[in-house]
Amino acid sequence: MVSNMKSFIFLFILLVLSKTVTSARKPSKSQPKPCKTFVLYYHDIMFGVDDVQNATSAAITNPPGLGNFKFGKLVIFDDPVTIDKNFQSEPVARAQGFYFYDMKNDYNAWFAYTLVFNSTQHKGTLNVMGADLMMEKTRDLSVVGGTGDFFMSRGIVTFETDVFEGAKYFRVKMDIKLYDCY
C-alpha cells in the first residue's frame, strides 16, 4: 500500500510538473510586422598613417593589453552609408558615433551611433545602439529613436558583416526594420 501511494504521489508530481512545463511552452504571439524596412551598407575605413583623406574612423584609445581581442579600444566614426555595396556610391546617410571593444576573450563591440539622413529620399536621424557580437553571422541592435522622417521610431537593425579586410576596412549590411513609425 505504501509503495502504491509513493508511486501515485510520484506520478501526480510528474503530471503537475509536465502541465507546468507544457503551459510555459505555449507559442508566443506572432511578431508584429514592421511599418518600414530597408537595407543599407555601412562602410568603415580606419585611419592609418597614410590615408588621412580616406579615413572615416579613428581609434581614440589603444587596447591596454588585456587579452588579444582589442579589449578597451575606443573608435569614433563618421562613416558613409549607401544603398548598395559600392563604397563609391552616393551616400544616403552618415553613421556618426562610436564603438568600443568590450570583451576580453573574443571580439565583441558595443555601438552607439546616429544615422544622419540628408537625401532626396529621407531627412532626419535614426539612433542605434547595442552589442555587436562579431563572431555571430547576424546581430541585432536596437533603434531607440529618431527625428524628421523617422520621428520617434523604434525597431531593430540586423548587422551582417559583408566584407572584412582586417582593421583597415569593413562593410556591414544593415537590415533595418522599424516597428513604431509616425
Side-chain angles (χ1 to χ4, degrees):
M1 178 84 173
V2 171
S3 176
N4 285 341
M5 184 61 107
K6 285 182 182 178
S7 296
F8 175 76
I9 291 172
F10 178 73
L11 289 174
F12 178 75
I13 290 171
L14 279 178
L15 179 65
V16 169
L17 288 175
S18 69
K19 291 294 184 188
T20 304
V21 170
T22 304
S23 66
R25 293 185 187 174
K26 287 182 182 176
S28 63
K29 294 180 182 179
S30 63
Q31 294 288 343
K33 296 210 183 283
C35 50
K36 184 181 283 261
T37 63
F38 49 99
V39 173
L40 299 173
Y41 290 87
Y42 168 105
H43 304 268
D44 183 85
I45 299 175
M46 183 63 71
F47 172 72
V49 295
D50 61 351
D51 60 357
V52 174
Q53 296 293 10
N54 292 326
T56 61
S57 65
I60 300 305
T61 62
N62 287 319
L66 299 171
N68 298 322
F69 300 98
K70 301 182 184 180
F71 178 77
K73 183 176 185 177
L74 173 65
V75 176
I76 59 168
F77 57 87
D78 180 12
D79 291 332
V81 176
T82 61
I83 60 172
D84 60 23
K85 296 179 179 190
N86 186 349
F87 175 72
Q88 300 298 326
S89 293
E90 185 69 27
V92 295
R94 304 284 307 177
Q96 298 172 332
F98 65 91
Y99 61 89
F100 56 89
Y101 292 90
D102 62 348
M103 187 178 274
K104 288 177 19 178
N105 57 0
D106 206 350
Y107 287 105
N108 186 62
W110 193 85
F111 275 78
Y113 67 95
T114 300
L115 287 172
V116 180
F117 293 86
N118 190 12
S119 67
T120 56
Q121 189 174 9
H122 296 293
K123 297 223 184 294
T125 64
L126 279 175
N127 299 310
V128 179
M129 60 178 30
D132 180 5
L133 308 171
M134 295 175 183
M135 295 299 115
E136 299 294 325
K137 181 174 173 27
T138 61
R139 295 85 68 192
D140 289 338
L141 282 73
S142 300
V143 174
V144 296
T147 64
D149 294 345
F150 307 104
F151 179 71
M152 292 180 58
S153 292
R154 290 188 305 161
I156 298 292
V157 175
T158 302
F159 272 16
E160 184 173 355
T161 303
D162 191 52
V163 169
F164 179 73
E165 297 176 5
K168 183 72 175 160
Y169 173 77
F170 66 85
R171 179 176 62 228
V172 172
K173 176 183 174 186
M174 297 187 299
D175 184 6
I176 301 170
K177 296 176 225 57
L178 301 178
Y179 293 94
D180 280 348
C181 303
Y182 295 93

